[in-house]
């Protein structure tokens, strides 16, 4: 009987220890609240000079899209792209790219992918007449060279819905050129 109690006590202590080790870290600034990375980011771009990257006007990340959009000052911008961390955005981690110049034209927008997103994009959607999208693995701001793949209009919306970029460009995209074809 004593041996059973000792065994149960040791088992209970082990369970408590394992649950303490597995618990997520808490923010020091707000005890009791589990810190989570922002899942929604917004980047606002301007019109690019010929052959050059589109200038980043602002960017912001937050736990929800509305906050990120408001903090980026993107109220009058149009949605150009959504980037997916994983194919078909599963599990969701999303960046929305907006343009303050308006819908895509034949010159379009040239986007340098930075920070955590460089070489981590597995899928995307493009909107606002951006019906031709070229992804580059190694862009040069002079000639936009390197491995590349182009996707074009695939839906009646005048957009490109590319839930997965395919094995050639998966987690290799460092730049996009989006435009109206």
């Amino acid at each position: 009987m004593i041996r059973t109690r000792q065994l149960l006590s040791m088992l209970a202590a082990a369970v408590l220890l394992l649950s303490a080790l597995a618990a997520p870290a808490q923010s020091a600034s707000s005890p009791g609240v589990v810190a989570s990375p922002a899942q929604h980011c917004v980047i606002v771009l301007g019109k690019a000079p010929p052959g050059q990257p589109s200038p980043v006007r602002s960017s912001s990340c937050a736990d929800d899209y509305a906050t990120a959009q408001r903090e980026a000052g993107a109220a009058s911008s149009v949605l150009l792209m959504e980037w997916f961390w994983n194919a078909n955005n599963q599990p969701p981690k999303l960046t929305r790219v907006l343009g303050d110049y308006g819908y895509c034209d034949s010159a379009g927008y040239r986007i340098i992918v930075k920070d955590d997103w460089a070489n981590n994009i597995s899928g995307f959607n493009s909107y606002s007449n951006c019906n031709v999208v070229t992804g580059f693995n190694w862009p040069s701001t002079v000639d936009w060279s390197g491995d590349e793949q182009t996707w074009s209009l695939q839906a009646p919306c005048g957009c490109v819905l590319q839930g997965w970029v395919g094995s050639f460009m998966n987690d290799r995209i460092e730049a996009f050129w989006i435009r109206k074809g």
Side-chain angles (χ1 to χ4, degrees):
M1 183 72 121
I2 293 175
R3 186 173 250 193
T4 305
R5 284 186 193 166
Q6 287 175 334
L7 185 58
L8 288 174
S9 292
M10 289 173 35
L11 184 59
V15 168
L16 286 173
L17 179 61
L18 288 174
S19 65
L21 292 174
Q26 293 183 351
S27 170
S29 62
S30 50
V33 177
V34 176
S36 66
Q39 295 295 307
H40 301 275
C41 294
V42 171
I43 300 169
V44 179
L45 302 174
K47 185 66 174 172
Q52 297 297 309
S54 297
V56 175
R57 302 279 191 223
S58 63
S59 65
S60 179
C61 295
D63 290 330
D64 65 276
Y65 174 67
T67 301
Q69 184 178 18
R70 184 178 62 254
E71 289 177 357
S76 62
S77 302
V78 300
L79 177 61
L80 302 173
M81 289 190 89
E82 296 175 320
W83 299 341
F84 307 143
W85 191 267
N86 295 302
N88 299 309
N89 202 25
Q90 297 298 322
K93 182 174 180 182
L94 183 68
T95 285
R96 288 190 169 117
V97 179
L98 295 95
D100 69 0
Y101 180 76
Y103 283 52
C104 277
D105 56 17
S106 60
Y109 292 83
R110 293 176 183 257
I111 307 161
I112 301 294
V113 179
K114 295 183 179 184
D115 302 324
D116 289 346
W117 283 98
N119 295 310
N120 281 309
I121 294 174
S122 291
F124 66 86
N125 292 333
S126 68
Y127 305 99
S128 303
N129 289 336
C130 303
N131 58 13
V132 178
V133 177
T134 302
F136 297 89
N137 175 252
W138 185 254
S140 162
T141 55
V142 177
D143 64 5
W144 290 76
S145 61
D147 287 344
E148 66 181 71
Q149 184 170 347
T150 299
W151 302 269
S152 59
L153 177 67
Q154 298 173 349
C157 63
C159 56
V160 179
L161 306 175
Q162 197 66 42
W164 187 53
V165 297
S167 59
F168 180 64
M169 292 303 283
N170 187 50
D171 292 340
R172 296 184 65 222
I173 295 174
E174 296 180 22
F176 283 109
W177 177 25
I178 58 175
R179 59 209 178 273
K180 182 177 181 179

